[in-house]
């Protein structure tokens, strides 16, 4: 195998993220920012905390990026067994589909990802920055990562600002502060993106919907059949289920319960 075959998009994107993270941290330490002032005053706790948070955000990024997002098992099952399992576990009214790419029977809320070439349970989206899907297993960690990353970015933004001095001539300023100013602009952009992503994911999680369901509800069979979101159990229960797995229960059961409620309210 040629050595460059190892340079998959995943390896490139994760290496890029790691290099960018430590590059920005190095720029902040090498300029006359609050970090250096703390060091000179002998206050090492704050710079150390900052470094630990950067390391924590990087480890969380790599974990979310490398972990199984909740792939649907593709092991071939005997036809009969699969059919029996389906009838036993899934109410008949649910429009389950067989994936036309990997041929597995998709559980409710699963979707095939063309980049990963697998079906993913409670598919949210394929994140190009992670080069991985965000799905049932890694979505809570993805939200935690966004929160930690935003905290680190905002702190780094303050540090970059604390080191900026504006003076003339501009040529000299560009040489002494140009790199720090570019870092400040980059951090502003990343902070904006991370804030928007975190806000939108918290909103989606609070209403128990996914990015895919939110943008494509008109194309999704199990959502088209009735008004409203059949998986919404109220703010507290949605958050408790998302972060702690409680109350438990399959999406199929929840969907069927919602249909029963809908039927009884129509009967009244
Ligand atoms: Zn598939
Ligand atoms: Zn994917």
């Amino acid at each position: 195998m040629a050595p460059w075959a190892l340079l998959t998009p995943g390896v490139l994107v994760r290496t890029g993220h790691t290099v960018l993270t430590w590059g920005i941290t190095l720029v902040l330490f090498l300029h006359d920012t609050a970090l250096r002032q703390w060091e000179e005053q002998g206050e090492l706790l704050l710079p150390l905390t900052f470094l630990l948070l950067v390391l924590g955000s990087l480890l969380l990024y790599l974990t979310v990026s490398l972990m199984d997002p909740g792939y649907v098992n593709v092991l071939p099952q005997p036809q009969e067994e699969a059919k029996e399992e389906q009838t036993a576990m899934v109410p008949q009214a649910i429009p389950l589909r067989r994936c036309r790419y990997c041929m597995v029977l998709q559980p409710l809320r699963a979707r095939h990802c063309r980049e990963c070439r697998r079906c993913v349970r409670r598919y949210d989206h394929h994140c190009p920055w992670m080069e991985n899907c965000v799905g049932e297993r890694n979505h809570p960690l993805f939200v935690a990562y966004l929160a930690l990353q935003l905290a680190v970015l905002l702190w780094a933004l303050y540090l970059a600002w604390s080191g900026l001095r504006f003076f003339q001539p501009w040529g000299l300023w560009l040489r002494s502060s140009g790199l720090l100013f570019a870092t400040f602009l980059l951090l502003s952009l990343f902070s904006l993106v991370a804030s928007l992503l975190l806000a939108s994911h918290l909103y989606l999680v609070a209403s128990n919907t996914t990015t895919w369901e939110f943008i494509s509800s008109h194309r999704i069979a199990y959502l088209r059949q009735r008004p409203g979101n059949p998986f919404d159990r109220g703010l507290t229960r949605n958050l408790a289920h998302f972060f702690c797995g409680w109350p438990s229960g399959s999406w199929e059961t929840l969907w069927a319960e919602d249909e029963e409620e809908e039927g009884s309210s129509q009967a009244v």
Side-chain angles (χ1 to χ4, degrees), residues 26-40 158-165 176-177 180:
L26 196 65
V27 169
L28 294 175
F29 270 94
L30 290 180
H31 285 77
D32 190 17
T33 61
L35 279 172
R36 184 176 289 178
Q37 289 149 27
W38 291 330
E39 281 176 64
E40 283 169 2
Y158 159 74
L159 291 173
W161 179 254
S162 72
L164 282 176
R165 317 270 184 275
S176 67
S177 298
L180 188 62

Side-chain angles (χ1 to χ4, degrees), residues 60-76:
L60 204 48
Y61 164 84
L62 290 173
T63 306
V64 178
S65 168
L66 291 168
M67 76 186 279
D68 172 355
Y71 292 129
V72 180
N73 198 0
V74 287
L75 285 177

Side-chain angles (χ1 to χ4, degrees), residues 74 99-104 106 111-113 117-120:
V74 287
C99 174
R100 63 188 155 126
Y101 300 100
C102 56
M103 300 310 291
V104 296
Q106 288 180 330
R111 182 168 187 259
H112 184 85
C113 171
R117 296 179 189 167
R118 298 282 296 271
C119 277
V120 179

Side-chain angles (χ1 to χ4, degrees), residues 182-199:
T183 303
F184 176 79
L185 291 181
L186 202 60
L187 286 168
S188 308
L189 179 70
F190 288 156
S191 302
L192 181 70
V193 172
S195 315
L196 292 174
L197 273 176
L198 181 63

